[in-house]
Amino acid sequence: MIPTFVITLREGVEASLIVGIIAAFLVKEGRQDALRQMWVGVAIAIVLCSAVGIGLDVVGEELPQKQQEGLETIVGLIAVATISYMIIWMTRHSRAIKAELEGEAASALARGSAMALVGMAFLAVLREGFETSVFLLAAFQDATNTTAAGAGAVLGLICAVGIGVGLYRGGVHINLSKFFKITGLVLVFVAAGLLATAAHTAHEAGWINSFQSEAVSLRWLVHPGTVSESLLTGMLGLRPAPTQVEAFVYLAYAIPMALFVLWPRGSRKARRSTEQQQPGVGA
């Protein structure tokens, strides 16, 4: 439940932020015609993304067992690659994302191109939706309880829409930099868990046959069938008995990515600015 909740919450907030800023600009300029077109474009993007997710799932079910495992491996790897790109990009730009979006929207209106804003909203929802479809497909394949995973996805989407509406109306103020840092850290471990699962399904598909001995037993911590297992697996991607290759890819991904997300941004620049403002000794 937790991985799907974080995925739809984070992706939904990003899409809602873009759509909300564009909607606010269109309302301010009295372009109700373009606003209606924007919502039609958003709806079409959502339908297209849902069709992609459903299509991938249907194709996977029609394949023989080994090919299913192979497709799950590929989907998992694509999901990890996309999550990684999203985490890296957002970690570098989260401080200025709202200002950048508002600047792009203002520039488009200054050129007299309201349709450019409609296109921005459509492409934003389409991009986030495609990413979410791949993430959720991989997360559902990895989930032990698909009902809970589905509930988490719906709850995350509802919260994201609520935050987006609040930001649009001005009644909600959140620190986007901290929000994306916290959700980014959670997604690092979600992605590490997906990568370990991809290593497992690659073995089932016959692609990886080495280093399949049990690396460590975490049964004392991750008790199968308990709430703690759901939390630890959902939040940290931990398994009761990971194999050597699963443990290796998990740690090789999680450690550097977590350090990247947590590393202070702009501290060196701030120190230089402070030093320049301080008077010299003996002045």
Side-chain angles (χ1 to χ4, degrees):
M1 180 176 182
I2 294 175
T4 53
F5 172 78
V6 174
I7 287 168
T8 54
L9 175 65
R10 183 188 173 99
E11 293 294 293
V13 165
E14 190 173 343
S16 296
L17 181 64
I18 297 171
V19 172
I21 288 173
I22 292 171
F25 269 84
L26 291 175
V27 170
K28 183 179 179 181
E29 295 297 315
R31 293 298 306 270
Q32 302 298 331
D33 57 327
L35 187 63
R36 287 191 293 271
Q37 293 170 359
M38 184 199 76
W39 289 120
V40 171
V42 167
I44 293 173
I46 292 173
V47 171
L48 288 174
C49 297
S50 301
V52 169
I54 294 171
L56 286 172
D57 188 49
V58 170
V59 169
E61 290 182 353
E62 295 296 324
L63 294 173
Q65 183 63 34
K66 276 201 170 186
Q67 281 79 355
Q68 283 186 29
E69 301 291 347
L71 179 61
E72 288 182 14
T73 303
I74 293 171
V75 170
L77 292 175
I78 292 174
V80 171
T82 312
I83 289 175
S84 302
Y85 172 79
M86 180 183 66
I87 291 171
I88 293 171
W89 189 91
M90 193 57 68
T91 300
R92 290 176 173 172
H93 296 85
S94 59
R95 291 180 182 272
I97 184 172
K98 193 171 186 290
E100 289 177 4
L101 290 172
E102 289 176 342
E104 291 176 6
S107 297
L109 277 181
R111 295 192 301 268
S113 179
M115 290 309 298
L117 294 181
V118 174
M120 280 175 60
F122 171 77
L123 292 175
V125 175
L126 190 67
R127 183 193 67 205
E128 304 300 332
F130 278 147
E131 291 177 356
T132 304
S133 296
V134 176
F135 298 166
L136 289 181
L137 183 59
F140 272 100
Q141 291 170 348
D142 193 35
T144 55
N145 188 334
T146 55
T147 302
V154 172
L155 184 60
L157 188 59
I158 292 173
C159 291
V161 172
I163 292 173
V165 172
L167 290 170
Y168 168 67
R169 295 184 179 276
V172 172
H173 301 278
I174 62 173
N175 188 318
L176 291 174
S177 179
K178 289 184 178 179
F179 172 82
F180 286 120
K181 174 172 280 192
I182 293 170
T183 55
L185 185 61
V186 174
L187 285 178
V188 165
F189 293 105
V190 171
L194 291 177
L195 193 59
T197 300
H200 176 77
T201 53
H203 170 64
E204 296 294 328
W207 297 352
I208 300 177
N209 296 313
S210 303
F211 305 104
Q212 295 302 314
S213 302
E214 183 177 310
V216 62
S217 176
L218 298 177
R219 295 179 183 88
W220 58 274
L221 179 64
V222 186
H223 301 287
T226 63
V227 176
S228 62
E229 182 205 17
S230 300
L231 291 173
L232 290 170
T233 301
M235 288 290 289
L236 303 177
L238 298 179
R239 304 290 176 179
T243 63
Q244 293 172 343
V245 66
E246 291 169 11
F248 173 76
V249 297
Y250 181 95
L251 294 174
Y253 179 90
I255 293 174
M257 284 296 289
L259 290 174
F260 175 79
V261 171
L262 294 174
W263 198 264
R265 305 289 160 184
S267 57
R268 181 180 301 177
K269 187 176 181 180
R271 284 196 302 269
R272 287 180 179 175
S273 177
T274 303
E275 290 172 358
Q276 289 174 357
Q277 292 174 1
Q278 290 177 346
V281 178

